[in-house]
Short mmCIF file of all heavy atoms in Angstrom, two decimals:
data_model
loop_
_atom_site.label_atom_id
_atom_site.label_comp_id
_atom_site.label_asym_id
_atom_site.label_seq_id
_atom_site.Cartn_x
_atom_site.Cartn_y
_atom_site.Cartn_z
N ARG A 1 124.87 40.89 -30.49
CA ARG A 1 124.00 41.26 -31.54
C ARG A 1 123.95 42.83 -31.56
O ARG A 1 124.43 43.44 -30.61
CB ARG A 1 122.56 40.89 -31.13
CG ARG A 1 122.38 39.35 -31.13
CD ARG A 1 120.86 38.96 -30.67
NE ARG A 1 120.77 37.63 -30.58
CZ ARG A 1 120.91 36.82 -29.47
NH1 ARG A 1 121.23 37.41 -28.30
NH2 ARG A 1 120.77 35.49 -29.56
N TRP A 2 123.57 43.39 -32.69
CA TRP A 2 123.67 44.79 -32.92
C TRP A 2 122.85 45.60 -31.90
O TRP A 2 123.27 46.55 -31.26
CB TRP A 2 123.14 45.17 -34.32
CG TRP A 2 123.29 46.60 -34.62
CD1 TRP A 2 122.27 47.59 -34.69
CD2 TRP A 2 124.46 47.28 -34.88
NE1 TRP A 2 122.79 48.78 -35.06
CE2 TRP A 2 124.25 48.67 -35.12
CE3 TRP A 2 125.82 46.96 -35.00
CZ2 TRP A 2 125.15 49.64 -35.40
CZ3 TRP A 2 126.82 47.95 -35.26
CH2 TRP A 2 126.48 49.17 -35.46
N GLY A 3 121.67 45.15 -31.56
CA GLY A 3 120.81 45.84 -30.50
C GLY A 3 121.43 45.75 -29.06
O GLY A 3 121.29 46.71 -28.35
N GLU A 4 122.20 44.67 -28.86
CA GLU A 4 122.81 44.54 -27.53
C GLU A 4 123.96 45.44 -27.45
O GLU A 4 124.21 46.17 -26.51
CB GLU A 4 123.34 43.06 -27.38
CG GLU A 4 122.17 42.11 -27.22
CD GLU A 4 122.73 40.67 -27.26
OE1 GLU A 4 123.89 40.35 -27.74
OE2 GLU A 4 121.95 39.78 -26.88
N ALA A 5 124.72 45.62 -28.50
CA ALA A 5 125.92 46.54 -28.55
C ALA A 5 125.43 47.99 -28.49
O ALA A 5 125.98 48.74 -27.77
CB ALA A 5 126.80 46.26 -29.82
N THR A 6 124.37 48.33 -29.18
CA THR A 6 123.98 49.71 -29.34
C THR A 6 123.13 50.09 -28.02
O THR A 6 122.97 51.28 -27.76
CB THR A 6 123.05 50.01 -30.55
OG1 THR A 6 121.95 49.19 -30.53
CG2 THR A 6 123.95 49.84 -31.77
N GLY A 7 122.75 49.12 -27.23
CA GLY A 7 122.00 49.40 -26.10
C GLY A 7 122.86 49.35 -24.83
O GLY A 7 122.39 49.68 -23.76
N LEU A 8 124.07 49.07 -25.02
CA LEU A 8 125.09 49.03 -23.79
C LEU A 8 125.20 50.44 -23.24
O LEU A 8 125.36 51.34 -23.89
CB LEU A 8 126.41 48.57 -24.19
CG LEU A 8 126.71 47.02 -24.24
CD1 LEU A 8 128.00 46.71 -24.74
CD2 LEU A 8 126.42 46.54 -22.78
N THR A 9 125.16 50.46 -21.88
CA THR A 9 125.43 51.62 -21.15
C THR A 9 126.78 51.56 -20.32
O THR A 9 127.18 50.36 -20.11
CB THR A 9 124.32 52.10 -20.19
OG1 THR A 9 124.08 50.89 -19.30
CG2 THR A 9 123.00 52.41 -20.98
N VAL A 10 127.29 52.58 -19.97
CA VAL A 10 128.65 52.56 -19.19
C VAL A 10 128.45 51.73 -17.96
O VAL A 10 129.39 51.07 -17.63
CB VAL A 10 129.12 54.06 -18.90
CG1 VAL A 10 130.24 54.02 -18.08
CG2 VAL A 10 129.30 54.85 -20.19
N LYS A 11 127.32 51.79 -17.25
CA LYS A 11 127.30 51.00 -16.01
C LYS A 11 127.33 49.54 -16.15
O LYS A 11 127.57 48.73 -15.30
CB LYS A 11 126.06 51.45 -15.30
CG LYS A 11 124.73 50.97 -15.94
CD LYS A 11 123.58 51.54 -15.16
CE LYS A 11 122.23 51.29 -15.86
NZ LYS A 11 121.13 51.89 -15.28
N ARG A 12 127.14 49.09 -17.49
CA ARG A 12 127.26 47.67 -17.72
C ARG A 12 128.58 47.14 -18.05
O ARG A 12 128.73 45.96 -18.40
CB ARG A 12 126.29 47.29 -18.90
CG ARG A 12 124.80 47.78 -18.64
CD ARG A 12 124.21 46.91 -17.49
NE ARG A 12 122.76 47.28 -17.36
CZ ARG A 12 122.16 47.23 -16.25
NH1 ARG A 12 122.77 46.92 -15.10
NH2 ARG A 12 120.88 47.61 -16.14
N VAL A 13 129.55 48.02 -18.03
CA VAL A 13 131.03 47.69 -18.38
C VAL A 13 131.83 47.51 -17.12
O VAL A 13 131.79 48.37 -16.24
CB VAL A 13 131.63 48.74 -19.24
CG1 VAL A 13 133.03 48.40 -19.63
CG2 VAL A 13 130.78 48.96 -20.55
N ASP A 14 132.43 46.34 -16.96
CA ASP A 14 133.43 46.13 -15.89
C ASP A 14 134.77 45.94 -16.47
O ASP A 14 135.24 44.92 -16.96
CB ASP A 14 133.04 44.84 -15.12
CG ASP A 14 133.85 44.48 -13.89
OD1 ASP A 14 135.00 45.12 -13.82
OD2 ASP A 14 133.37 43.70 -13.12
N THR A 15 135.52 47.06 -16.55
CA THR A 15 136.82 47.02 -17.25
C THR A 15 137.85 46.22 -16.32
O THR A 15 138.72 45.70 -16.98
CB THR A 15 137.41 48.49 -17.33
OG1 THR A 15 137.40 49.13 -16.17
CG2 THR A 15 136.51 49.29 -18.42
N ALA A 16 137.66 46.13 -15.05
CA ALA A 16 138.60 45.43 -14.24
C ALA A 16 138.50 43.81 -14.61
O ALA A 16 139.47 43.20 -14.64
CB ALA A 16 138.36 45.63 -12.85
N ARG A 17 137.32 43.37 -14.88
CA ARG A 17 137.14 41.95 -15.13
C ARG A 17 136.99 41.74 -16.69
O ARG A 17 136.93 40.63 -17.21
CB ARG A 17 135.84 41.47 -14.54
CG ARG A 17 135.92 41.46 -13.02
CD ARG A 17 134.58 40.98 -12.39
NE ARG A 17 134.15 39.70 -12.98
CZ ARG A 17 132.81 39.47 -13.37
NH1 ARG A 17 131.98 40.31 -13.22
NH2 ARG A 17 132.53 38.25 -13.78
N ARG A 18 136.97 42.80 -17.51
CA ARG A 18 136.86 42.77 -18.95
C ARG A 18 135.61 42.04 -19.35
O ARG A 18 135.66 41.13 -20.18
CB ARG A 18 138.13 42.12 -19.68
CG ARG A 18 139.40 42.99 -19.65
CD ARG A 18 140.48 42.54 -20.49
NE ARG A 18 140.45 41.15 -20.87
CZ ARG A 18 141.10 40.16 -20.38
NH1 ARG A 18 142.04 40.42 -19.38
NH2 ARG A 18 141.09 38.94 -20.80
N ARG A 19 134.54 42.55 -18.81
CA ARG A 19 133.24 41.87 -19.07
C ARG A 19 132.09 42.97 -19.26
O ARG A 19 132.27 44.02 -18.65
CB ARG A 19 132.76 41.03 -17.96
CG ARG A 19 133.76 39.77 -17.79
CD ARG A 19 133.17 38.78 -16.75
NE ARG A 19 132.20 37.87 -17.33
CZ ARG A 19 132.46 36.87 -17.96
NH1 ARG A 19 133.65 36.51 -18.25
NH2 ARG A 19 131.48 36.06 -18.46
N VAL A 20 131.04 42.72 -20.04
CA VAL A 20 129.93 43.56 -20.08
C VAL A 20 128.70 42.74 -19.70
O VAL A 20 128.62 41.52 -19.96
CB VAL A 20 129.72 44.21 -21.39
CG1 VAL A 20 130.86 45.19 -21.79
CG2 VAL A 20 129.63 43.14 -22.53
N GLU A 21 127.77 43.39 -19.05
CA GLU A 21 126.57 42.77 -18.69
C GLU A 21 125.43 43.02 -19.79
O GLU A 21 125.22 44.26 -20.00
CB GLU A 21 125.88 43.21 -17.35
CG GLU A 21 126.78 42.86 -16.17
CD GLU A 21 126.15 43.51 -14.95
OE1 GLU A 21 126.13 44.72 -14.85
OE2 GLU A 21 125.66 42.72 -14.14
N ILE A 22 124.98 42.01 -20.38
CA ILE A 22 123.98 42.24 -21.37
C ILE A 22 122.56 42.13 -20.69
O ILE A 22 122.09 41.03 -20.36
CB ILE A 22 124.01 41.19 -22.51
CG1 ILE A 22 125.49 41.23 -23.20
CG2 ILE A 22 122.98 41.39 -23.62
CD1 ILE A 22 125.90 42.53 -23.63
N MET A 23 121.98 43.32 -20.47
CA MET A 23 120.71 43.33 -19.73
C MET A 23 119.60 44.06 -20.53
O MET A 23 118.47 43.91 -20.20
CB MET A 23 120.90 44.01 -18.32
CG MET A 23 121.90 43.18 -17.51
SD MET A 23 122.05 43.76 -15.87
CE MET A 23 120.70 43.26 -15.09
N GLU A 24 120.05 44.77 -21.56
CA GLU A 24 119.15 45.57 -22.42
C GLU A 24 119.44 45.35 -23.94
O GLU A 24 120.61 44.83 -24.20
CB GLU A 24 119.25 47.06 -22.19
CG GLU A 24 118.78 47.50 -20.81
CD GLU A 24 120.01 47.54 -19.83
OE1 GLU A 24 121.14 47.64 -20.21
OE2 GLU A 24 119.67 47.63 -18.60
N ASN A 25 118.42 45.50 -24.69
CA ASN A 25 118.53 45.45 -26.18
C ASN A 25 117.75 46.59 -26.68
O ASN A 25 116.66 46.88 -26.24
CB ASN A 25 117.96 44.10 -26.56
CG ASN A 25 118.12 43.85 -28.11
OD1 ASN A 25 119.30 43.83 -28.52
ND2 ASN A 25 117.05 43.62 -28.69
N ALA A 26 118.35 47.28 -27.67
CA ALA A 26 117.61 48.44 -28.36
C ALA A 26 117.23 47.95 -29.71
O ALA A 26 117.96 47.37 -30.39
CB ALA A 26 118.57 49.56 -28.46
N VAL A 27 115.95 48.17 -30.02
CA VAL A 27 115.40 47.79 -31.29
C VAL A 27 114.50 49.08 -31.87
O VAL A 27 113.99 49.81 -31.08
CB VAL A 27 114.60 46.54 -31.24
CG1 VAL A 27 115.41 45.32 -30.96
CG2 VAL A 27 113.44 46.63 -30.32
N MET A 28 114.35 49.03 -33.13
CA MET A 28 113.36 50.03 -33.72
C MET A 28 112.02 49.34 -33.82
O MET A 28 111.87 48.34 -34.35
CB MET A 28 113.78 50.39 -35.03
CG MET A 28 115.02 51.41 -35.12
SD MET A 28 114.81 52.93 -34.37
CE MET A 28 113.68 53.79 -35.37
N VAL A 29 111.07 50.10 -33.22
CA VAL A 29 109.68 49.72 -33.44
C VAL A 29 108.99 50.80 -34.06
O VAL A 29 108.90 51.96 -33.40
CB VAL A 29 109.01 49.38 -32.02
CG1 VAL A 29 107.59 49.02 -32.16
CG2 VAL A 29 109.75 48.27 -31.31
N GLY A 30 108.55 50.65 -35.30
CA GLY A 30 108.10 51.81 -36.05
C GLY A 30 109.29 52.78 -36.22
O GLY A 30 110.36 52.45 -36.78
N ARG A 31 109.15 53.99 -35.74
CA ARG A 31 110.10 55.00 -35.89
C ARG A 31 110.67 55.43 -34.50
O ARG A 31 111.36 56.40 -34.34
CB ARG A 31 109.61 56.24 -36.62
CG ARG A 31 109.16 55.99 -38.03
CD ARG A 31 109.28 57.24 -38.82
NE ARG A 31 109.09 56.87 -40.30
CZ ARG A 31 109.95 56.61 -41.09
NH1 ARG A 31 111.26 56.51 -40.68
NH2 ARG A 31 109.65 56.33 -42.35
N ARG A 32 110.46 54.48 -33.54
CA ARG A 32 111.01 54.77 -32.16
C ARG A 32 111.89 53.71 -31.78
O ARG A 32 111.70 52.55 -31.98
CB ARG A 32 109.76 54.97 -31.24
CG ARG A 32 108.84 55.91 -31.61
CD ARG A 32 107.73 55.93 -30.59
NE ARG A 32 107.65 57.38 -30.12
CZ ARG A 32 107.08 57.81 -29.00
NH1 ARG A 32 106.50 56.96 -28.30
NH2 ARG A 32 107.09 59.06 -28.81
N VAL A 33 112.90 54.07 -30.90
CA VAL A 33 113.75 53.07 -30.30
C VAL A 33 113.08 52.56 -29.03
O VAL A 33 112.60 53.34 -28.15
CB VAL A 33 115.12 53.73 -29.90
CG1 VAL A 33 116.02 52.83 -29.10
CG2 VAL A 33 115.84 54.25 -31.18
N LYS A 34 113.04 51.23 -28.88
CA LYS A 34 112.51 50.60 -27.71
C LYS A 34 113.64 49.80 -26.99
O LYS A 34 114.29 49.05 -27.68
CB LYS A 34 111.37 49.71 -28.12
CG LYS A 34 110.76 48.96 -26.90
CD LYS A 34 109.57 48.08 -27.26
CE LYS A 34 108.98 47.62 -25.89
NZ LYS A 34 108.45 46.35 -26.04
N VAL A 35 113.83 50.07 -25.79
CA VAL A 35 114.86 49.37 -25.09
C VAL A 35 114.16 48.36 -24.04
O VAL A 35 113.23 48.72 -23.38
CB VAL A 35 115.70 50.31 -24.25
CG1 VAL A 35 116.75 49.50 -23.35
CG2 VAL A 35 116.42 51.35 -25.10
N GLY A 36 114.47 47.09 -24.26
CA GLY A 36 113.86 46.04 -23.48
C GLY A 36 114.89 45.00 -23.15
O GLY A 36 116.11 45.23 -23.14
N THR A 37 114.46 43.78 -22.98
CA THR A 37 115.33 42.69 -22.54
C THR A 37 116.02 42.16 -23.81
O THR A 37 115.51 42.46 -24.99
CB THR A 37 114.60 41.57 -21.81
OG1 THR A 37 113.59 41.08 -22.73
CG2 THR A 37 114.01 42.08 -20.55
N PRO A 38 117.12 41.48 -23.62
CA PRO A 38 117.80 40.85 -24.87
C PRO A 38 116.86 39.92 -25.62
O PRO A 38 115.71 39.47 -25.07
CB PRO A 38 118.94 40.09 -24.22
CG PRO A 38 119.22 40.73 -22.93
CD PRO A 38 117.86 41.26 -22.37
N LYS A 39 117.22 39.57 -26.84
CA LYS A 39 116.29 38.76 -27.70
C LYS A 39 115.86 37.60 -26.94
O LYS A 39 114.67 37.21 -27.09
CB LYS A 39 117.09 38.37 -29.00
CG LYS A 39 116.30 37.58 -29.92
CD LYS A 39 117.21 37.28 -31.20
CE LYS A 39 116.40 36.54 -32.17
NZ LYS A 39 117.17 36.29 -33.41
N THR A 40 116.60 36.76 -26.25
CA THR A 40 116.26 35.54 -25.59
C THR A 40 115.75 35.83 -24.29
O THR A 40 115.34 34.79 -23.58
CB THR A 40 117.55 34.66 -25.45
OG1 THR A 40 118.42 35.30 -24.69
CG2 THR A 40 118.14 34.29 -26.74
N HIS A 41 115.68 37.02 -23.86
CA HIS A 41 115.18 37.36 -22.51
C HIS A 41 116.09 36.97 -21.36
O HIS A 41 115.65 36.93 -20.25
CB HIS A 41 113.71 37.05 -22.30
CG HIS A 41 112.78 37.49 -23.34
ND1 HIS A 41 112.49 38.81 -23.45
CD2 HIS A 41 112.18 36.81 -24.31
CE1 HIS A 41 111.58 38.98 -24.54
NE2 HIS A 41 111.45 37.72 -25.01
N HIS A 42 117.17 36.42 -21.72
CA HIS A 42 118.19 36.09 -20.75
C HIS A 42 119.34 37.00 -20.67
O HIS A 42 119.94 37.36 -21.66
CB HIS A 42 118.76 34.65 -21.17
CG HIS A 42 117.81 33.50 -20.97
ND1 HIS A 42 117.17 32.98 -22.16
CD2 HIS A 42 117.32 32.88 -19.98
CE1 HIS A 42 116.37 32.05 -21.76
NE2 HIS A 42 116.39 31.99 -20.41
N ARG A 43 119.49 37.50 -19.39
CA ARG A 43 120.65 38.42 -19.21
C ARG A 43 121.85 37.62 -18.95
O ARG A 43 121.79 36.46 -18.47
CB ARG A 43 120.31 39.24 -17.94
CG ARG A 43 119.11 40.12 -18.23
CD ARG A 43 118.70 40.89 -17.01
NE ARG A 43 117.53 41.78 -17.44
CZ ARG A 43 116.68 42.16 -16.58
NH1 ARG A 43 116.73 41.81 -15.34
NH2 ARG A 43 115.76 42.95 -16.92
N ARG A 44 122.86 38.17 -19.52
CA ARG A 44 124.30 37.41 -19.42
C ARG A 44 125.45 38.28 -19.25
O ARG A 44 125.30 39.53 -19.58
CB ARG A 44 124.36 36.52 -20.49
CG ARG A 44 124.56 37.18 -21.95
CD ARG A 44 124.41 36.14 -23.02
NE ARG A 44 124.89 36.73 -24.32
CZ ARG A 44 124.12 37.60 -25.10
NH1 ARG A 44 122.89 37.99 -24.61
NH2 ARG A 44 124.57 38.08 -26.18
N SER A 45 126.49 37.79 -18.90
CA SER A 45 127.78 38.50 -18.66
C SER A 45 128.63 37.94 -19.87
O SER A 45 128.88 36.73 -20.12
CB SER A 45 128.46 38.21 -17.40
OG SER A 45 129.72 38.91 -17.32
N VAL A 46 129.29 38.90 -20.67
CA VAL A 46 130.06 38.50 -21.85
C VAL A 46 131.54 39.04 -21.69
O VAL A 46 131.67 40.24 -21.47
CB VAL A 46 129.38 39.12 -23.14
CG1 VAL A 46 130.22 38.80 -24.39
CG2 VAL A 46 128.03 38.53 -23.31
#
């Protein structure tokens, strides 16, 4: 999802395994960015 991709940080990337950990999601709330859990609240490795 867009918020998952835009919320990714370098520490969530494992280039050796070619995976990213989805642990945060960035969304706009009003005029502020809020970083929280993914939409389903389930963290996963992609």
Side-chain angles (χ1 to χ4, degrees):
R1 295 176 182 96
W2 186 253
E4 293 170 342
T6 61
L8 271 176
T9 57
V10 173
K11 68 184 171 189
R12 303 294 184 212
V13 179
D14 183 343
T15 55
R17 293 179 54 226
R18 289 194 337 262
R19 296 187 83 79
V20 293
E21 291 178 292
I22 305 304
M23 300 184 77
E24 296 92 17
N25 185 56
V27 296
M28 287 298 292
V29 177
R31 298 207 173 268
R32 303 181 123 199
V33 174
K34 182 177 182 213
V35 178
T37 60
K39 182 177 180 179
T40 61
H41 305 291
H42 291 104
R43 296 173 176 155
R44 66 191 190 284
S45 178
V46 176

